């Protein structure tokens, strides 16, 4: 059995979290507040200090240094991770405990944040890179219609990516973990007709207050999901 702890959208408030034990710790992006180098460096130090044997993270729209920072800063940050148990994924994958992970930071364009892509072909080309056989998909943003409700004037809108939803239906991962939309954080959703459980692991609310607990998943050796819960 493999126990995976999932968090997202900590926005520099990671030190206030109490994380449950597990084999793998996953962060779905937005670990920074303003996206500066020192902000990211502090997160990496905290993330690497956690007792989980393996750690995986992607960037989010607030983590500007990983896309808009200098090559020097990006190289410094990624070099810290070399030959460690911490993996940074950017349209890339890693196999851990027999599970194939794939991570991408991109999300539909919203203002001028990091890893923004226009809806349609511009973002679809990233989802087309997700390989068959992916067990655990990590994206910063949600697929359309699944844990993607955001408050708007007069009600709520589904703001997820339709092309990402198509990709999830094609790949059929066991888990699809994301964050980005704080309002829908701390929830899980089993996709009807598919073997995929979706997880919005944002720990903060719309006012950036930490309010949601980490989500824990337990997978059997045959990759069947045994448990999904918050701890």
């Amino acid at each position: 059995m493999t126990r995976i702890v999932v968090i997202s959208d900590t926005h520099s408030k990671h030190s206030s979290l109490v994380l449950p034990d597990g084999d793998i710790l996953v962060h779905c992006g937005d670990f920074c507040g303003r996206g500066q180098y020192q902000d990211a460096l502090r997160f990496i130090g905290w993330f690497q200090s956690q007792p989980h044997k393996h750690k995986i993270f992607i960037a989010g729209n607030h983590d500007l240094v990983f896309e808009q920072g200098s090559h020097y800063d990006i190289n410094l940050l990624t070099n810290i991770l070399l030959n460690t148990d911490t993996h940074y994924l950017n349209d890339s994958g890693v196999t851990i405990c027999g599970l194939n992970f794939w991570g991408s930071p991109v999300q539909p364009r919203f203002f001028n944040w990091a890893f923004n892509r226009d809806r349609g072909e511009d973002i679809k080309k990233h989802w087309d890179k997700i390989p068959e056989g992916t067990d655990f998909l990590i994206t910063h943003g949600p697929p359309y219609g699944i844990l993607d409700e955001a408050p708007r004037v007069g009600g709520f809108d589904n703001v997820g990516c339709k092309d990402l939803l198509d990709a999830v239906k094609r790949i059929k991962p066991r888990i699809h973990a994301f964050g980005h939309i704080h309002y829908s954080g701390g929830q899980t959703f089993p996709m009807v007709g598919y073997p995929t459980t979706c997880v919005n692991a944002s720990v903060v609310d719309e006012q950036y207050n930490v309010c949601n607990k980490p989500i824990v998943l337990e997978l059997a050796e045959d990759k069947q999901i045994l448990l999904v819960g918050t701890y």
Side-chain angles (χ1 to χ4, degrees), residues 8-185:
S8 187
D9 295 80
T10 49
H11 291 284
S12 300
K13 298 182 178 181
H14 40 263
S15 60
S16 67
L17 297 179
V18 177
L19 300 181
D21 294 334
D23 302 296
I24 304 172
L25 176 61
V26 173
H27 196 300
C28 305
D30 272 8
F31 42 82
C32 289
R34 297 288 182 178
Q36 298 172 338
Y37 172 82
Q38 290 295 333
D39 203 2
L41 186 63
R42 283 190 291 270
F43 164 75
I44 289 174
W46 172 83
F47 199 62
Q48 289 188 313
S49 73
Q50 301 309 304
H52 308 77
K53 185 175 181 180
H54 305 283
K55 306 167 190 72
I56 304 170
F57 74 99
I58 64 170
N61 58 299
H62 276 253
D63 307 320
L64 286 89
V65 65
F66 275 90
E67 184 179 47
Q68 301 175 13
S70 68
H71 290 300
Y72 179 77
D73 284 349
I74 294 172
N75 287 338
L76 281 177
L77 292 170
T78 53
N79 284 344
I80 294 171
L81 308 175
L82 294 176
N83 302 314
T84 71
D85 57 7
T86 303
H87 304 272
Y88 168 62
L89 303 184
N90 183 351
D91 283 339
S92 58
V94 64
T95 299
I96 297 173
C97 298
L99 297 169
N100 298 319
F101 291 82
W102 185 268
S104 177
V106 303
Q107 76 279 161
R109 187 172 300 282
F110 182 72
F111 293 118
N112 190 32
W113 294 94
F115 300 105
N116 278 191
R117 302 293 185 268
D118 293 328
R119 295 178 186 270
E121 191 58 36
D122 190 38
I123 199 167
K124 181 179 180 295
K125 63 187 179 184
H126 291 273
W127 310 140
D128 287 345
K129 296 178 181 179
I130 304 170
E132 300 287 341
T134 295
D135 300 304
F136 200 116
L137 176 61
I138 309 165
T139 60
H140 182 55
Y144 182 80
I146 298 178
L147 304 178
D148 69 334
E149 281 195 340
R152 294 289 186 265
V153 176
F156 297 89
D157 284 341
N158 295 104
V159 296
C161 179
K162 292 182 179 179
D163 287 305
L164 177 56
L165 178 62
D166 290 341
V168 172
K169 289 180 176 179
R170 171 175 57 87
I171 299 298
K172 300 180 179 66
R174 290 292 178 187
I175 306 293
H176 179 199
F178 48 85
H180 189 44
I181 306 304
H182 300 177
Y183 180 82
S184 299

Side-chain angles (χ1 to χ4, degrees), residues 177-222:
F178 48 85
H180 189 44
I181 306 304
H182 300 177
Y183 180 82
S184 299
Q187 301 182 64
T188 63
F189 181 87
M191 289 181 64
V192 177
Y194 295 87
T196 303
T197 294
C198 293
V199 174
N200 185 327
S202 174
V203 300
V204 300
D205 60 16
E206 292 291 307
Q207 288 72 45
Y208 291 80
N209 298 310
V210 176
C211 62
N212 298 321
K213 295 180 179 180
I215 292 176
V216 175
L217 306 113
E218 292 183 354
L219 276 68
E221 290 186 5
D222 63 359

